Each structure stands twice: as C-alpha cells, then as structure tokens.
Amino acid sequence: QQQVKQSPQSLIVQKGGISIINCAYENTAFDYFPWYQQFPGKGPALLIAIRPDVSEKKEGRFTISFNKSAKQFSLHIMDSQPGDSATYFCAASTKEGAQKLVFGQGTRLTINP
Amino acid sequence: GAGVSQSPRYKVAKRGQDVALRCDPISGHVSLFWYQQALGQGPEFLTYFQNEAQLDKSGLPSDRFFAERPEGSVSTLKIQRTQQEDSAVYLCASSRTGYGYTFGSGTRLTVV
C-alpha cells in the first residue's frame, strides 16, 4: 500500500528554471513531511521539512508548499542549477511512529545547462 | 565520527548464503534505523533502535532478517539464507531525536 504518492517520476528543467515535485498522502495522522535529496551511490540527505501547522517553508532556493485540506505537499527549487540534478524523495511520518518514515517513489531531476 | 559509516559498501552473495551488514552511527546518536532501497524505488523502513532496544521491527520482510545493536552503538543487520529478492541497497541512518535522520551511503547487496 503506497501511502505517499510522488510525481513526476522524472523531470527535466533548464538551468535557472523552477523545478516542482508533488506528493500526495492518505494518512491524516501524518504530521512531519521531509524532503530528501539523493545522489548516485549516496544515501538520502535531508533537504527541508515541514509540519502541517504552516502552509509554506523556505530555505534558500528550496520551498515546501503544504495544503492540508488537499493532503498534498510540493517541493519548489528556484533558480535550478546543474548541481541540483539528483533524485528527490518526499516522505512522511506520524507523531506516534515518528521514527518510521514512509517515502514516495522518487523523482529523478535533471537540470540542463 | 563525522557521518554514518556502513560496511561493506558492496556485497555479492550466493543464494542461500548468510550475510552481515554493519552500521556505525554518528557518535551520541540514540536512534538508529535500517531501510531497504530497491533499484529505482524509495527507501522502505525495516527496523528501529533506541539505544540497544529494538522498538520497531515491523518492516523486516521475513524471519530471515535479524538486526541487533547490543551496546547501543554499532548495529548489524543479518540476512540468513539470502534470496534473489533480497538484492537491494541497505541504508542505515541515525538521529539524536528521531527526526532529521542522517543516512549512510548504504551497502549494495547482490544475490546471485
């Protein structure tokens, strides 16, 4: 059972453009939503995370937008750079199961120079 | 250490062989997690330790999988009688609080 659905599977963006990756979830008990970045041969690295009491969180070029009523959240990468080319995963966890992250299927992002 | 260290980086096992994968978490991190990542997929939770106590092992796919962390630091994931479907990257992560994991680079297991 896929509790977090991520789209698109792959994305190509021109340098300087905005990359947008979307996730939808089903479990209304989720209360922590992180995004991870993974380069080939490396483990995922935490980029940014949000809790459902806010609708947006920004850190540098990375922004999470959160829509609690629609049960959706998205990652926006502004001024995308070739170094941002990686696989991105959204994830979610509940307060009770805080230690157990449920990941989306991943989005392979390619930034063309 | 500076990061989560996993060894070996690569392991090729013959079907039916037992394997042991090691994880050295960041010093002082109480929480330790194991995830399995199949090719082209997101990581899937296997098990979680707080210090030496295994608090959640609900993700272990079968009784062939066993994890331990006897002194609350280094952890070992053991897979007995490996099968081809066990081929994946096994990721270890640690955390002070349970949120904001730091992942290791993983062990890529190939069962032939």
Side-chain angles (χ1 to χ4, degrees):
Chain A
Q1 182 186 4
Q2 182 56 252
Q3 294 191 60
V4 179
K5 293 185 179 179
Q6 184 171 347
S7 63
Q9 271 193 308
S10 62
L11 179 63
I12 299 174
V13 174
Q14 291 300 118
K15 179 182 174 182
I18 303 173
S19 304
I20 302 174
I21 304 170
N22 301 298
C23 283
Y25 63 96
E26 299 165 1
N27 187 349
T28 54
F30 284 148
D31 77 334
Y32 174 69
F33 302 89
W35 283 89
Y36 283 81
Q37 178 190 57
Q38 186 174 31
F39 292 104
K42 300 293 186 183
L46 179 65
L47 262 182
I48 186 172
I50 198 168
R51 293 190 184 276
D53 52 346
V54 297
S55 60
E56 185 174 282
K57 183 174 181 181
K58 184 175 181 179
E59 290 185 3
R61 296 185 294 111
F62 301 93
T63 300
I64 299 180
S65 297
F66 186 83
N67 185 330
K68 188 174 182 178
S69 61
K71 293 187 285 185
Q72 295 176 345
F73 59 110
S74 60
L75 175 70
H76 291 64
I77 306 174
M78 312 300 288
D79 187 26
S80 300
Q81 299 296 312
D84 297 329
S85 296
T87 299
Y88 292 80
F89 294 96
C90 61
S93 67
T94 65
K95 188 179 298 183
E96 290 72 27
Q99 302 79 14
K100 183 189 301 186
L101 284 173
V102 178
F103 283 83
Q105 303 96 315
T107 296
R108 179 174 287 187
L109 175 64
T110 302
I111 307 301
N112 284 337
Chain B
V4 177
S5 178
Q6 292 189 245
S7 60
R9 287 282 284 124
Y10 304 94
K11 176 69 179 179
V12 178
K14 291 185 178 178
R15 192 170 58 180
Q17 187 178 359
D18 297 351
V19 299
L21 312 180
R22 177 187 169 104
C23 173
D24 280 271
I26 293 173
S27 178
H29 278 193
V30 167
S31 301
L32 185 145
F33 315 84
W34 285 97
Y35 281 76
Q36 180 190 59
Q37 186 173 25
L39 188 64
Q41 301 294 316
E44 291 193 359
F45 174 84
L46 292 176
T47 187
Y48 157 65
F49 290 85
Q50 187 167 317
N51 294 307
E52 68 277 3
Q54 189 174 20
L55 299 187
D56 188 339
K57 55 181 181 179
S58 61
L60 295 176
S62 76
D63 58 7
R64 297 186 295 104
F65 287 71
F66 172 76
E68 60 183 6
R69 194 186 185 195
E71 297 178 356
S73 178
V74 171
S75 177
T76 303
L77 176 67
K78 297 179 179 178
I79 308 173
Q80 297 178 323
R81 305 180 304 281
T82 51
Q83 303 295 315
Q84 283 196 316
E85 62 262 29
D86 300 335
S87 295
V89 174
Y90 290 85
L91 295 165
C92 176
S94 70
S95 169
R96 277 191 198 282
T97 63
Y99 292 98
Y101 300 176
T102 299
F103 279 92
S105 293
T107 293
R108 180 179 296 276
L109 173 65
T110 303
V111 181
V112 297

